[in-house]
Amino acid sequence: MIYLDNAATSFPKPAETIDRLNDFVKNVGGNPGRSGHTLSLEAARIIFEAREKLTSLLGMKHSERLIFTQNGTESLNMALLGFLEAGNHVVTTSIEHNSVMRPLEFLRRSRGITYTAVPCCSEGFVDLDGLKRALTHNTKAVVINHGSNVTGAVQPLAEIRNIVGRTCLIVDACQTIGSTAIDLEAAGADIVCFSCHKSLFAIQGVGALYVRDGIELTPLKFGGTGSRSESIEQPVFLPDRYECGTPNTPGIASLLGGLSFIEKEGIARISRKKQALRARLVDGLRQTPGVRIYGHRSKSPESYLAIVSFNIDGMLSSDVGYELNRRSLFVRIGLHCSPVAHQTIGTLPAGALRASPGYFTREADIDTFVEAVREIAGK
Amino acid sequence: MPENKFVLLFNTIHDVLRMEKILKQRGISHEVIPVPRALSSDCGMSIMLYTDVDSFIGYLGSIEVVAIYEFDGQEYVPFTIGKLN
């Protein structure tokens, strides 16, 4: 079995993830910070430690501004629905995921916001001049997919920050967090949204967002926080303002394991290893007759993640995916929840295959995969 | 002379644990306890300090302490930071 769908969910997980998860479910189990007993306190300490570690991984300082959610989609919904009001204009790009496009479209219809999707080149890099031109006097936010889940293109955040000036910069870092060495503090992101089950090695069901000091969001959810319980009003202090109801503590415990693993290995090493796998995959597919790769062409390696979309001429991606699956080679097929991105690279509505190696992928796995693609393409 | 204790109340468990981290690092004797019902109907946690005020007050830093009470084993007496000066 060769798993090349790490851009959806990383698999397998490091031992640290599984150990922490196991330990929580077996030995801790309490409801965090609410009940006043030792197990409740222990659960709260796990969340606290994960929050502190994650904040520092982002290069940010105030851990109370790191909010846990269920996934990257919930984080983006919190940011967009909590920040945008009637009459606001938003600038985004034509490489976004539906977790940005659908909330924006909902807000357009329900609150009367407007948005401009700045074109990207066929590799998925945003046109920076176009971005500059799209900004208007009432642009409230710029929303950028930092690393494309379709082409692996990594946008130049620092340059984008310069262009957008003081406008709020909301970054979808689902694919880049834990994968590349990024200092989001230095890059000047105002709100960073991401999931934790990809390159942060948590189990599914954990996401987060970091909201920079000075930015206020209207909460999406209201309810019990274990604090100010005598009041029927949602607390104003963080993180309680944006976190209510019982959190996914087992998931956050697994995240703590994932973060320890990342700390041990080092982001630089993780990034180098994935770059090498990406290069091997791109080279192999490029030398395979009939294979068309989307992107990974014009820029230096660090401008791409280990996410490679491709098609075989004359074949449907679903048929190729079926053949690969029969050989126990697991990739993702279709539109990857990103119709605008596929429009940008010219694969709408047919879609593409997407191979995304992870930290535990071996070079031999890439070779086996490329050989299978060659065989299928040669049929 | 009986040793006095101090109860520190915070907005959120996050702040309680930030304080706990600092106290642990500094080796200051303390315990995380449920908020005494005599002080608040909050269902959260607070910190009981087994030390005198001088040894912790400098570490509060950016952590917002909602209230401090001095506890002699029977009664909680509101304690204001101003008393230090």
Side-chain angles (χ1 to χ4, degrees):
Chain A
M1 185 268 280
I2 295 174
Y3 182 86
L4 295 175
D5 196 16
N6 289 275
T9 292
S10 62
F11 181 78
K13 303 294 187 193
E16 284 86 343
T17 297
I18 298 159
D19 291 348
R20 279 289 193 161
L21 174 64
N22 240 324
D23 181 59
F24 180 81
V25 177
K26 222 168 154 179
N27 304 317
V28 184
N31 206 313
R34 284 153 163 79
S35 308
H37 55 72
T38 302
L39 295 183
S40 161
L41 181 58
E42 205 40 55
R45 285 193 182 113
I46 288 169
I47 294 180
F48 175 75
E49 201 185 336
R51 202 189 300 277
E52 294 247 297
K53 266 194 202 296
L54 198 45
T55 303
S56 114
L57 182 77
L58 288 170
M60 301 295 198
K61 291 186 183 71
H62 304 289
S63 58
E64 73 278 7
R65 306 197 70 86
L66 190 289
I67 311 300
F68 281 116
T69 62
Q70 205 186 355
N71 47 43
T73 298
E74 189 184 352
S75 302
L76 284 159
N77 272 265
M78 271 181 74
L80 299 171
L81 274 70
F83 189 64
L84 299 170
E85 292 163 351
N88 289 162
H89 175 247
V90 176
V91 172
T92 189
T93 77
S94 66
I95 198 76
E96 300 303 313
H97 192 274
N98 263 349
S99 53
V100 165
M101 296 315 294
R102 285 182 174 174
L104 286 182
E105 188 54 25
F106 167 76
L107 289 170
R108 187 182 72 80
R109 288 166 183 267
S110 64
R111 289 189 201 164
I113 71 150
T114 53
Y115 65 86
T116 308
V118 179
C120 296
C121 71
S122 61
E123 289 198 81
F125 294 103
V126 66
D127 169 13
L128 295 176
D129 290 331
L131 179 68
K132 204 177 206 167
R133 283 194 303 273
L135 295 165
T136 68
H137 66 281
N138 69 336
T139 302
K140 180 90 182 290
V142 173
V143 191
I144 296 282
N145 187 352
H146 187 207
S148 168
N149 65 311
V150 175
T151 67
V154 178
Q155 307 296 344
L157 266 194
E159 277 179 69
I160 290 171
R161 172 80 273 178
N162 280 338
I163 291 169
V164 306
R166 289 178 153 196
T167 306
C168 177
L169 180 60
I170 301 173
V171 176
D172 169 359
C174 283
Q175 296 296 346
T176 45
I177 181 114
S179 211
T180 53
I182 37 164
D183 186 337
L184 287 158
E185 168 73 18
D190 291 306
I191 306 177
V192 188
C193 303
F194 54 93
S195 54
C196 301
H197 64 283
K198 303 182 197 286
S199 298
L200 295 179
F201 300 114
I203 59 166
Q204 295 168 358
V206 193
L209 74 162
Y210 187 92
V211 185
R212 195 186 282 272
D213 209 3
I215 293 176
E216 288 297 319
L217 303 177
T218 305
L220 275 196
K221 297 187 292 188
F222 302 87
T225 55
S227 53
R228 294 281 160 89
S229 302
E230 73 284 1
S231 168
I232 59 165
E233 272 184 60
Q234 189 74 7
V236 292
F237 45 82
L238 303 182
D240 301 28
R241 181 158 182 77
Y242 304 119
E243 283 182 12
C244 52
T246 303
N248 179 2
T249 320
I252 295 172
S254 79
L255 169 66
L256 191 50
L259 292 171
S260 304
F261 176 77
I262 291 170
E263 230 169 51
K264 190 182 79 186
E265 298 296 304
I267 290 264
R269 186 187 147 105
I270 291 172
S271 172
R272 269 200 308 277
K273 187 167 178 198
K274 286 171 105 172
Q275 265 311 330
L277 293 167
R278 182 198 74 89
R280 199 175 187 91
L281 178 60
V282 169
D283 286 348
L285 289 176
R286 198 161 274 154
Q287 286 164 25
T288 306
V291 169
R292 179 194 307 262
I293 299 176
Y294 302 98
H296 296 269
R297 211 172 38 239
S298 63
K299 304 217 180 199
S300 56
E302 62 272 17
S303 293
Y304 303 97
L305 298 170
I307 296 173
V308 181
S309 284
F310 67 98
N311 269 315
I312 296 177
D313 288 341
M315 288 187 81
L316 293 172
S317 62
S318 50
D319 289 344
V320 180
Y322 176 79
E323 284 297 325
L324 289 168
N325 188 54
R326 278 183 53 198
R327 294 164 172 81
S328 293
L329 302 170
F330 304 137
V331 298
R332 182 148 173 188
I333 57 166
L335 293 178
H336 319 107
C337 298
S338 308
V340 295
H342 277 277
Q343 192 161 36
T344 293
I345 67 170
T347 48
L348 193 72
L353 295 122
R354 181 187 71 184
S356 49
Y359 186 67
F360 297 107
T361 307
R362 298 165 308 172
E363 290 189 342
D365 296 335
I366 300 290
D367 298 345
T368 305
F369 176 73
V370 170
E371 195 42 50
V373 173
R374 192 186 307 275
E375 191 191 308
I376 294 164
K379 268 189 180 174
Chain B
M1 205 175 100
E3 193 190 328
N4 277 14
K5 302 167 183 175
F6 294 90
V7 178
L8 277 60
L9 303 189
F10 299 85
N11 275 326
T12 155
I13 185 72
H14 181 72
D15 287 346
V16 172
L17 297 177
R18 279 173 75 197
M19 193 69 207
E20 184 194 32
K21 186 178 164 187
I22 292 170
L23 295 171
K24 272 185 185 166
Q25 282 167 354
R26 308 271 170 174
I28 298 172
S29 176
H30 70 282
E31 199 176 350
V32 180
I33 59 162
V35 174
R37 304 302 289 180
L39 303 182
S40 163
S41 55
D42 200 281
C43 54
M45 307 295 278
S46 59
I47 290 182
M48 176 77 90
L49 279 163
Y50 303 104
T51 181
D52 57 28
V53 175
D54 297 344
S55 64
F56 76 89
I57 211 80
Y59 304 133
L60 290 177
S62 64
I63 306 173
E64 190 188 343
V65 182
V66 173
I68 302 177
Y69 292 89
E70 199 167 357
F71 183 53
D72 61 6
Q74 290 183 322
E75 259 191 291
Y76 295 93
V77 181
F79 183 90
T80 53
I81 306 278
K83 279 191 190 174
L84 282 176
N85 302 319

